[in-house]
């Protein structure tokens, strides 16, 4: 098998796929499937026209994926019409299912996606949004994961790190998305913490408790969002905050820092401030520096830019933001906030409106629209 030939043909095949109207990400997946098939078939039966063969196979795979995606959408749309489930047995094996779906034969990202879809109850669209990828790409990833585990015995549970990632994403979706899953994520993480002595399990539980403690103050009676700086801190759940901080301190004392412990430390600093102006932004930036070291996540870097803007001024925040891709979700919202703090309300109003157009949910879109309207009113006044 001439791997050099395959690599040389790939860009041309991909270009043909896109020219025929295929989505780029889905076309990439289809071409990769065709290359795998070529490696399997060509040694025994090489084609006369290698590129034509690859285009034909890739296009068939693409059409199969499109049809499968359409069928999946129809199934998901019928979920609300299904009858209520029968009473469940007293034994709760949900956490065990999480571990089984995190099978060693899957990559961590595929295991997380499969578990979120099969056990967590999230739609493919919600999972794709959490991963910052197109829905079609995530559908392909989940389908591959299903094919991978279809022929293996589910008797080798996955690792704790994968299960923690699933619980974290489910909590985030329940906390700020379309389905309320936050309480369930906390319940399962408590179960996990009771059975496994691991600082990152404790860190995730602390993070969930600290975020959930602020939930009563996050929205107004009409459902609109209340920014952290404007929240009535008297409505925060002080008992949950105290529990979260106690759990976090015990985890940090073991000197095995992980991503969830660092995130919980940021949440604890917010929870510890009696007023927004008392927030220790310098220390928050330091924790974000640790998170960048641990994850190198663009979302973490975006949040760090906000913290830098608070600690060192908006110009410093701009410098941190300049290192990031402008297409990153919520990039426009952060830029708008920093421009407003810098006194450029005209640019801030434009960016708030732009961010509202890109918002992932209705509540966030309405909040950003109101921010733009507030500044436009100031400009006209």
């Amino acid at each position: 098998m001439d791997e050099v030939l395959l690599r040389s043909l790939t860009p041309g095949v991909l270009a043909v796929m896109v020219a025929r109207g295929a989505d780029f990400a889905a076309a990439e997946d289809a071409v990769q499937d065709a290359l795998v098939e070529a490696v399997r078939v060509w040694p025994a039966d090489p084609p006369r026209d290698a590129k034509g063969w690859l285009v034909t196979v890739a296009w068939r795979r693409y059409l199969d994926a499109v049809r499968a995606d359409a069928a999946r959408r129809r199934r998901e749309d019928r979920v609300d019409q299904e009858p209520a489930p029968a009473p469940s047995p007293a034994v709760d094996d949900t956490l065990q299912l999480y571990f089984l779906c995190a099978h060693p034969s899957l990559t961590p990202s595929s295991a997380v996606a499969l578990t979120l879809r099969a056990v967590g109850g999230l739609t493919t669209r919600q999972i794709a949004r959490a991963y910052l990828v197109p829905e079609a790409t995530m559908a392909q990833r989940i389908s591959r994961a299903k094919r991978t585990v279809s022929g293996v015995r589910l008797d080798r549970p996955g690792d704790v790190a994968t299960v923690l990632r699933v619980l974290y994403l489910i909590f985030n979706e329940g906390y700020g998305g379309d389905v309320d899953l936050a309480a369930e994520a906390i319940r399962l993480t408590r179960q996990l913490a009771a059975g496994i002595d691991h600082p990152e399990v404790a860190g995730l539980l602390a993070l969930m408790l600290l975020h959930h403690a602020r939930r009563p103050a996050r929205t107004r009676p009409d459902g609109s969002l209340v920014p952290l700086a404007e929240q009535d801190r008297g409505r925060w759940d002080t008992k949950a905050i105290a529990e979260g901080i106690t759990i976090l301190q015990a985890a940090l004392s073991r000197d095995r820092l992980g991503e969830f412990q660092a995130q919980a430390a940021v949440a604890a600093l917010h929870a510890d401030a009696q007023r927004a102006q008392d927030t220790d932004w310098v220390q928050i930036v330091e924790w974000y520096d640790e998170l960048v070291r641990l994850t190198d996540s663009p979302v973490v870097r975006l949040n760090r830019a906000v913290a830098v803007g608070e600690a060192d001024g908006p110009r410093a925040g701009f410098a941190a933001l300049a290192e990031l891709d402008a297409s990153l979700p919520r990039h426009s919202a952060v830029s708008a906030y920093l421009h407003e703090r810098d006194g450029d309300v005209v640019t801030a109003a434009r960016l708030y409106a732009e961010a509202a157009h890109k918002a992932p949910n209705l509540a966030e879109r309405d909040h950003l629209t109101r921010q733009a309207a507030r500044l436009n009113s100031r400009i006209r006044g």
Side-chain angles (χ1 to χ4, degrees), residues 168-181:
Y168 173 67
L169 290 174
I170 288 178
F171 176 81
N172 280 345
E173 189 63 43
Y175 188 65
D178 304 323
V179 183
D180 188 357
L181 296 167

Side-chain angles (χ1 to χ4, degrees), residues 83 328 336:
L328 189 66

Side-chain angles (χ1 to χ4, degrees), residues 17 30-31 33-35 37-38 42 51-64:
M17 297 283 289
V31 171
D33 286 346
L35 294 175
E37 185 68 7
W42 285 10
K51 181 178 178 180
W53 189 97
L54 287 171
V55 169
T56 299
V57 173
W59 187 250
R60 288 172 180 167
R61 295 298 173 89
Y62 172 75
L63 292 178
D64 288 344

